[in-house]
Amino acid sequence: MPETSAGTLTTPEKPAKQKPGGTLYRGHEGMWSWVLHRITGVAIFFFLLVHILDTALVRVSPEAYNAVIGAYQTPIMGLGEVALVGAIVFHAFNGLRIILVDFWAWATRHQKVLFWVVIALWVVTMLAFTPRHLINVFSH
Amino acid sequence: MTAIEFPGEPRRRGSNLEKWGWIYMRASGVVLLVLIFGHLFMNLMVGDGIQAIDFGFVGGKWADPFWQWWDVLMLWLALIHGANGMRTLVNDYTNPGTVQKVLKGALFAAAAVLIILGTLVVFTFEPCPAGAPADLLPSFCAA
Ligand code: HEM
Ligand code: HEM
């Protein structure tokens, strides 16, 4: 976009490129970690609402509980569980990063590096979890 | 003297409640990490994982007060943490007014009801209900 100068004032240099408002997080690791933290938090919350209700069926009858838990043991839900665990592992590790950044000056200065540490830990954890879970899901 | 406000600081509404909320999110987060990872490890990674879960599995776990308290603590911390986090989203995406009040009321009600329900479920659980087929029950019911 051409920057049309209205005239009068001579700005010494080109003004430091104006970023859109509330710029602290926009467009970089900080924003993505924030968006992901939010989305995963909401997803886990809604899962938890359902999960407490399905667990409550143990008070109804063994048959009722087993029927619902059977639904969690299908291949499609098995894949869903990988997504759920992926969301939790990210939210947990990134939550830890947020806490460190808030309380520890070193982490505040290195929060970008720490974001990639979170991603690396996520990958390692998911590599340990996913094959084992999928073998359980698909070998029955 | 009025305190200097940081631009990103949440609006002070009289008391310091928001600050305690902020601290709670962090304190509960650290504990939840341990509780939830332990929960997922026990239920998904050990043995046959998800395929081993049924009524008998739950009966076996809740026969031990350790796992009862583990689950109850996880229940309370996670629901309050989650509902408080959702409240932040409601504050961010709605304007003050009726809709906002209703949404916050719904969050509070959902968390309260599920905390009570979940706590009752853990502590009133009956592992050997009379008349249920024995093969669905934990092995210790046979006697
Ligand atoms: C696919 C993953 C999951 C499976 C298969 C699963 C399975 C179970 C099972 C079998 C129980 C009964 C008691 C026990 O085993 O301790 C239970 C209870 C519970 N789970 Fe999970 N769970 C999963 C994920 C989660 C997550 C992510 C959370 C937390 C956000 C969670 C929170 C709870 C709570 C709070 C209880 C106690 C419920 C009550 O008090 O009535 N679970 N879960
Ligand atoms: C596994 C361990 C967990 C850790 C370490 C953790 C940590 C955190 C932290 C540090 C925050 C940021 C609060 C702030 O910015 O003031 C947060 C926000 C949030 N958490 Fe968690 N949390 C965990 C589990 C959960 C669970 C189980 C749920 C759902 C029941 C959840 C839902 C949320 C939500 C909805 C938010 C608000 C997100 C936002 O404001 O953008 N978290 N969490």
Side-chain angles (χ1 to χ4, degrees):
Chain A
M1 269 209 277
E3 295 211 9
T4 44
S5 155
T8 46
L9 289 174
T10 39
T11 24
E13 297 280 307
K14 241 205 279 174
K17 215 202 267 162
Q18 194 73 48
K19 291 190 194 161
T23 57
L24 202 50
Y25 293 130
R26 192 164 301 187
H28 295 286
E29 292 89 340
M31 183 189 89
W32 291 113
S33 67
W34 177 78
V35 169
L36 279 175
H37 197 80
R38 198 156 254 207
I39 293 174
T40 51
V42 173
I44 302 163
F45 180 74
F46 283 112
F47 164 78
L48 185 59
L49 301 186
V50 176
H51 184 47
I52 293 167
L53 293 174
D54 63 55
T55 303
L57 289 176
V58 295
R59 291 297 287 122
V60 176
S61 73
E63 289 86 349
Y65 183 76
N66 289 353
V68 180
I69 219 63
Y72 280 91
Q73 291 158 342
T74 58
I76 299 219
M77 290 299 273
L79 296 175
E81 283 136 26
V82 173
L84 173 72
V85 171
I88 292 179
V89 170
F90 176 82
H91 188 96
F93 287 156
N94 191 57
L96 227 46
R97 185 188 65 92
I98 294 174
I99 296 168
L100 290 178
V101 166
D102 284 341
F103 288 112
W104 182 25
W106 181 89
T108 316
R109 272 180 274 118
H110 296 84
Q111 47 177 312
K112 275 194 189 175
V113 186
L114 283 177
F115 176 72
W116 294 107
V117 172
V118 167
I119 298 296
L121 286 175
W122 183 84
V123 169
V124 171
T125 311
M126 292 312 283
L127 282 177
F129 169 75
T130 311
R132 173 147 186 90
H133 182 62
L134 290 183
I135 288 169
N136 282 331
V137 168
F138 285 100
S139 67
H140 286 259
Chain B
M1 190 191 115
T2 38
I4 298 165
E5 300 243 342
F6 293 99
E9 209 178 20
R11 248 174 308 145
R12 285 277 158 81
R13 272 205 258 96
S15 76
N16 242 348
L17 261 183
E18 289 298 337
K19 181 180 159 195
W20 285 108
W22 187 91
I23 291 171
Y24 176 82
M25 291 308 275
R26 280 146 186 81
S28 63
V30 175
V31 182
L32 279 170
L33 187 137
V34 176
L35 292 174
I36 295 178
F37 278 32
H39 184 65
L40 293 173
F41 188 82
M42 288 299 291
N43 289 6
L44 295 179
M45 298 290 276
V46 174
D48 287 335
I50 186 120
Q51 298 296 346
I53 298 179
D54 58 11
F55 185 87
F57 174 91
V58 181
K61 251 182 115 175
W62 284 348
D64 186 343
F66 178 83
W67 291 115
Q68 287 186 315
W69 285 104
W70 183 291
D71 282 0
V72 168
L73 191 61
M74 184 165 66
L75 171 80
W76 284 66
L77 291 179
L79 270 173
I80 297 173
H81 177 107
N84 190 238
M86 294 296 290
R87 194 181 57 88
T88 306
L89 270 87
V90 170
N91 278 332
D92 280 0
Y93 299 126
T94 66
N95 296 315
T98 314
V99 174
Q100 189 173 87
K101 282 212 184 78
V102 169
L103 287 174
K104 287 184 187 174
L107 282 174
F108 181 86
V113 167
L114 289 174
I115 283 177
I116 293 168
L117 174 70
T119 307
L120 286 174
V121 165
V122 172
F123 289 120
T124 67
F125 177 63
E126 171 54 70
C128 312
D135 58 335
L136 297 185
L137 303 182
S139 51
F140 57 73
C141 290

